[in-house]
Each structure stands twice: as C-alpha cells, then as structure tokens.
C-alpha cells in the first residue's frame, strides 16, 4: 500500500476537479502556462493524483497518459474519467518500462518530485520518452517553504521597518525528512529536500535544459501575521520549472 492510498479519498475530494486552493491560485496557472495549448499533444502526467489535470488536458484535446503510485488514486481517477481517452497506470514515477522512446510532447509532474528518491533514474526516463524539443514541467515546494522542518515564518525588522522573514537553515544539504501527512495526521511521508542547483544540474545532465522558473508569491500562509506584513513579504511557497529536451 502506498502512502497516499491511506487517505486517497480525502485527498481526491480536496482536489476535486480543479485542484485545491494552492493549486488553483499559485501552482496550476504557472504549470498550464508552460504547457501552453494542449491540443493534439501527447502528454504524460506523472503522479497524477485523482487525475483532475489529466482530465482538463484531455478535454482540451491532448492524448493523455497518467500514472501514480497509489492504486486507490488511480482507481478514483479512472472512475472520474469515463468517456475520456486517458491511459491510467499504477506504478512508481521512475518506472518507464511501459513507455516508448521519443513519443511524448510533454511530461508534467505536479507536486510529486520531492517524493522521488532517485533523480537520475527519473530524469533519464523522462528524457528517453520525450521527443526532441519536448517539454518537462514540474512544481514542488519552494526551498523557502515555511512548512518544512528547516524553515519557519518570523516577524522582524530591517532598517527599522517591520517585515516578514523566513528563517532557513540546511538549504544546501540534501536531506530526507519525514513529515506527518496533513491529510490524515498520522501517515509519515518521506520528502527529499534538494537545493535548486541539484535539480537543475541533474536535469541538464540528462539533456533537460531549464528555460523557465516561476516563483509565485505565497498566498494564504502566515495567517497569524498582520495583513499588511502578509501582503508585502514577497516570499514564494512553490516553484515551477520548465525544461526542454535537447
Ligand atoms: C501532492 S500529490 C500531487 C498529485 C497531483 N499531481 C496533484 O497535483 O493533485 C503527490 C502524488 O504523488 C504520488 N506519489 C508519491 N510518490 C510517488 C512515486 N514514487 N511515484 C509515483 N507517484 C508518487 C502520490 O500518490 C500522490 O498522488
């Protein structure tokens, strides 16, 4: 049983057909903007969850493949996708054995990469299945994300002016952290924290060259701080990266 199997129904309900608040407001607009017009494209959604993004892309004319480690989420996704031409499979993100060489226009991984242990295996697979000039887009928690054990929101002053800060430590050291899932308050999720340089340089090593980085400003966090501070912190919670296969 995968971790997300334990709270698949709850997760799916929270995502619904358009994603939750953070997806709708901060993450997905950037992901969709990198995807561009999906019409006629072959797209693979890795770690698709309940498949809401796969369905949107299929409804807009893409041929969609989607996978997730959670069998329960894949079953939910299939149930929700009746009548749509989406090929769902339950397997690990690094398993590309079912996919041909050079046949996809685009691979998307929305909020999944931090669960993947072996980036070399992942990027080698993505590079193999993408066509030349194909696009890989992923989102992940920003390296300044306050929820993570190595950072937290603080209020302080610079030049006498009150500001919100993030206290960050350990950024350069790749770590495996175990966090209790927000979804059931008991499942321990393993998160692989890596600095931006490791992600970008490893992609390059496998022929995936970064062409776009989006860092939408945090919305809806630091709720306990005064509105004025929240509005002026200019700190991202998520990062979205687009790369091209060369
Ligand atoms: C935060 S959810 C994101 C789901 C979906 N992309 C979305 O944005 O709603 C993370 C997803 O990654 C899946 N996942 C975790 N580890 C995985 C792995 N090693 N291989 C494939 N999927 C994985 C989980 O089952 C879950 O569906």
């Amino acid at each position: 049983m995968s971790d997300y199997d334990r709270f698949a129904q709850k997760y799916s309900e929270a995502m619904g057909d358009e994603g939750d608040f953070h997806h709708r407001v901060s993450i997905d607009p950037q992901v969709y903007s990198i995807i561009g017009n999906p019409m006629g494209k072959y797209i693979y959604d890795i770690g698709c969850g309940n498949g809401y993004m796969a369905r949107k892309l299929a409804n807009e004319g893409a041929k969609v493949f989607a996978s997730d480690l959670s069998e329960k989420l894949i079953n939910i996704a299939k149930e929700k996708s009746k009548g749509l031409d989406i090929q769902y499979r339950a397997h690990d993100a690094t398993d590309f054995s079912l996919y041909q060489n050079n046949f996809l226009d685009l691979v998307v991984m929305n909020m999944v990469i931090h669960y993947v242990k072996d980036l070399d295996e992942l990027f080698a697979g993505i590079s193999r299945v993408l066509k030349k000039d194909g696009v890989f887009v992923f989102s992940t928690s920003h390296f300044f994300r306050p929820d993570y054990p190595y950072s937290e929101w603080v209020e302080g002053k610079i030049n006498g002016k009150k500001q919100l800060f993030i206290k960050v430590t350990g950024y350069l050291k790749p770590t495996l952290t175990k966090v209790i899932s927000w979804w059931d308050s008991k499942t321990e999720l393993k998160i692989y924290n890596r600095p931006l340089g490791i992600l970008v340089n490893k992609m390059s090593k496998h022929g995936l060259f970064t062409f776009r980085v989006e860092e939408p400003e945090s919305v809806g966090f630091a709720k306990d701080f005064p509105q004025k501070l929240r509005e002026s912190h200019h700190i991202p919670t998520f990062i979205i990266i687009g790369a091209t296969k060369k």
Side-chain angles (χ1 to χ4, degrees), residues 44-201:
Y44 178 22
D45 182 355
I46 301 181
C48 63
N50 83 357
Y52 79 85
M53 185 171 278
R55 284 190 290 288
K56 176 175 159 66
L57 297 171
N59 274 320
E60 290 175 10
K63 163 76 193 156
V64 181
F65 302 81
S67 69
D68 198 284
L69 191 57
S70 161
E71 273 183 40
K72 283 199 181 159
L73 277 170
I74 285 293
N75 289 338
I76 291 170
K78 280 183 182 165
E79 188 63 32
K80 283 173 160 284
S81 306
K82 284 189 175 142
L84 285 172
D85 183 16
I86 304 176
Q87 227 172 85
Y88 284 108
R89 288 150 172 168
H91 59 69
D92 191 89
T94 54
D95 180 0
F96 289 86
S97 56
L98 296 166
Y99 306 89
Q100 302 163 31
N101 293 351
N102 311 312
F103 92 111
L104 292 165
D105 297 292
L106 205 136
V107 171
V108 56
M109 276 185 98
N110 209 11
M111 300 305 292
V112 183
I113 207 162
H114 41 273
Y115 294 121
V116 177
K117 185 176 176 190
D118 191 334
L119 286 186
D120 280 306
E121 216 178 344
L122 178 74
F123 295 150
I126 291 171
S127 191
R128 180 176 72 70
V129 297
L130 274 177
K131 293 176 187 166
K132 185 174 175 299
D133 297 326
V135 167
F136 170 45
V137 48
F138 72 90
S139 61
T140 187
S141 300
H142 199 281
F143 315 98
F144 301 150
R145 184 188 165 104
D147 280 7
Y148 275 45
Y150 295 109
S151 59
E152 65 181 62
W153 290 99
V154 284
E155 192 182 322
K157 280 188 180 174
I158 273 193
N159 290 337
K161 192 175 165 238
K162 265 195 183 178
Q163 304 238 326
L164 270 190
F165 295 87
I166 299 262
K167 260 203 286 194
V168 180
T169 186
Y171 167 71
L172 286 173
K173 190 166 174 263
T175 45
L176 169 60
T177 50
K178 295 177 182 168
V179 295
I180 299 299
S181 171
W182 188 84
W183 299 104
D184 68 354
S185 306
K186 58 180 183 213
T187 302
E188 202 177 67
L189 299 174
K190 286 185 191 153
I191 312 266
Y192 296 90
N193 304 289
R194 299 132 173 152
L196 179 62
I198 287 193
L199 283 165
V200 169
N201 296 339

